[in-house]
Amino acid sequence: MRPRPLIDRPGVSVVVPCYNYGRYLPDAVHSALSQDGVDVEVIIVDDASTDDTSAVAHRLASADARISVVIHEDNQGHISTYNDGLSRAAQRYVTLLSADDLIAPGALARAAALMEANPRVGMVYGLPRDFTDQPPPVAAEGRSTWTVWQGKQWISLACTRGHNFILSPEVVMRTEAMVGIGAYNKALPHSGDLEYWLRAAAAWDVGRINGPVQAYYRVHGANMHQTEYAAAAVDLRHRLDAFRVLEDPRLGVSAEFRARQLRRVERALSKEASTLGFREVADGGSLAAVELRKFIEGLQQVPGNVHRANTLQAAIVRGRRDPHTAYARKQLDRLRWRIWSMTGIS
C-alpha cells in the first residue's frame, strides 16, 4: 500500500543495551535523537561494562534530558538487559537498538506512520544495511511502499522458509504489543529474537517499510549473528528451538495451525541442512557436513529425511569438489538476497 504521512508526533522509546561498546555508544544515541517527525526518549542500559560505557552514557545524559541511564551492578547477560530496558519504555512505540548499530534517518517516523495508519499492526521492520566502520552515505529517499501481513500469514511464511527474516535493529514495535507479548525468553540467548517475532505475529499483524534503509547493522568479529559452516548445525538447532514456541497452547492460534506450521519448519530446516551440507562438501570440507547430517537425522518425523541424510552421507564419503555447483549456488544466493531486500521475505 502507499504510505500515509504522520498527523502528529508520536513518542518512541529507544532502548540501547550496552556491554563494553562505549566507543560506539555516541553514534547509536545520536542516530536515535536526530530522528525527525517523532519525539524520542533514549534509555541506555549498561550491563556492568568493564570499559568506559558508564562514563560515556552519563556524559551523553548530562547533555540531553531525553536520555536516561541504567547501570547494572553485575553482568546479567543480553536477554536480561533487553528486558530491563524494554520494561522502562514509556512512549507509544519502542525499538531495541544495540549500541554498535544505528537507526537510519527517518526510520522511526516511517515505522510509526505505518502503525498509526494500521492499528492492528504491532511490529514493523524494513531493510537493514550492514557496514564495518562508517555506514554508507544515505541515498536520496526514493519510492517507498508498505506491506502489511496478517500475523498468521507472516508466521506461515517464516515457517515455510524456516528463516528469521529480521536482523533486529530495523524493528519498531507498538509498546502496547510489547507489553502484551511479555519478556524475551532467557532460555533462548541465541534465537530469542526470532521467538519474540513469532509471539508478536501470533497476536498482531506485521508491517514492512519497502524501499528506504531502516537501520544499519555493524558487522565485526564480536557479532553474535555471524555464522559459518562450522556453526551451521548449531544455528539450525537454535532456530528450531525458537520455532518450538509453536508448541505453546498460550500462543493464541489454534492447535491445528501450530502443528501444521511446526511440520513446515522441520521440513524447511531439514532441506536447508541438506543444502548447507552439500555446499560444505562442494567447498572441500566434511566435518560440518557430518553435523548437518546428524541434524537431519534428528528430525525423524520429516518425510524423506532418511533419503536426505543418506544422500548427504554418500556425498561426504565421495568428498568431491564441484565448481559448477558453487557458481550456481552464488547466483541463487544473489537472487534470494534481492528478493529479501525488496520484500522482507526470502
Side-chain angles (χ1 to χ4, degrees):
M1 63 182 67
R2 295 176 61 183
R4 304 177 198 171
L6 277 172
I7 298 175
D8 59 3
R9 290 178 61 89
V12 182
S13 298
V14 180
V15 176
V16 186
C18 189
Y19 178 70
N20 287 348
Y21 276 168
R23 62 194 182 278
Y24 299 132
L25 191 56
D27 288 342
V29 171
H30 175 73
S31 77
L33 294 179
S34 60
Q35 295 287 309
D36 293 328
V38 291
D39 293 325
V40 174
E41 69 164 355
V42 173
I43 305 167
I44 302 172
V45 187
D46 174 20
D47 192 27
S49 297
T50 57
D51 67 353
D52 62 346
T53 291
S54 176
V56 172
H58 283 298
R59 185 171 69 248
L60 293 169
S62 66
D64 197 312
R66 294 175 293 174
I67 303 172
S68 60
V69 179
V70 180
I71 305 293
H72 289 172
E73 294 298 325
D74 301 304
N75 183 265
Q76 299 180 21
H78 65 282
I79 297 294
S80 292
T81 303
Y82 294 174
N83 289 335
D84 186 7
L86 291 172
S87 71
R88 301 169 189 268
Q91 303 302 315
R92 191 182 311 173
Y93 302 108
V94 60
T95 185
L96 188 66
L97 176 68
S98 293
D100 55 336
D101 296 333
L102 304 170
I103 303 172
L108 297 186
R110 288 189 291 267
L114 191 156
M115 285 186 279
E116 291 281 282
N118 296 273
R120 278 295 309 154
V121 171
M123 176 178 82
V124 172
Y125 68 111
L127 177 65
R129 179 73 54 80
D130 59 32
F131 70 104
T132 53
D133 184 18
Q134 294 297 321
V138 179
E141 188 172 326
R143 184 173 181 269
S144 177
T145 62
W146 292 347
T147 299
V148 174
W149 294 276
Q150 290 185 347
K152 288 175 63 175
Q153 181 186 15
W154 191 87
I155 291 174
S156 295
L157 291 167
C159 291
T160 299
R161 294 293 296 143
H163 283 182
N164 184 0
F165 304 130
I166 301 171
L167 282 180
S168 187
E170 69 271 31
V171 173
V172 182
M173 295 191 69
R174 194 180 297 273
T175 304
E176 177 189 355
M178 182 269 293
V179 171
I181 295 160
Y184 275 78
N185 188 342
K186 295 181 182 179
L188 297 172
H190 302 288
S191 56
D193 53 350
L194 171 58
E195 190 251 13
Y196 201 77
W197 313 144
L198 293 167
R199 278 194 278 149
W204 294 80
D205 292 343
V206 178
R208 185 180 190 266
I209 309 293
N210 305 314
V213 173
Q214 286 291 99
Y216 294 102
Y217 175 77
R218 191 184 301 268
V219 177
H220 51 75
N223 283 98
M224 289 182 290
H225 292 84
Q226 287 185 328
T227 304
E228 298 179 356
Y229 283 131
V234 175
D235 175 63
L236 289 169
R237 291 189 182 99
H238 288 157
R239 268 190 272 159
L240 181 58
D241 289 341
F243 278 110
R244 293 285 185 203
V245 72
L246 293 165
E247 296 174 339
D248 191 339
R250 297 171 298 176
L251 197 59
V253 290
S254 70
E256 179 184 0
F257 176 83
R258 290 185 286 107
R260 184 169 65 253
Q261 300 311 317
L262 193 54
R263 289 194 298 270
R264 285 181 172 176
V265 169
E266 291 176 340
R267 184 164 59 250
L269 294 181
S270 174
K271 290 180 178 178
E272 183 176 350
S274 176
T275 299
L276 291 173
F278 278 106
R279 290 184 178 189
E280 164 78 352
V281 172
D283 287 346
S286 63
L287 293 178
V290 171
E291 293 303 311
L292 290 162
R293 189 211 68 216
K294 292 178 182 178
F295 176 81
I296 295 170
E297 291 174 341
L299 298 173
Q300 299 177 358
Q301 305 303 316
V302 176
N305 250 18
V306 173
H307 174 73
R308 195 171 287 125
N310 289 342
T311 304
L312 178 56
Q313 178 60 30
I316 293 170
V317 172
R318 290 194 306 270
R320 296 177 181 174
R321 288 178 176 267
D322 187 347
H324 300 293
T325 299
Y327 175 79
R329 178 187 77 210
K330 290 179 181 178
Q331 299 307 310
L332 182 58
D333 285 345
R334 289 194 182 102
L335 176 60
R336 286 175 173 163
W337 181 87
R338 284 188 62 82
I339 293 172
W340 168 77
S341 66
M342 291 187 293
T343 68
I345 301 293
S346 64

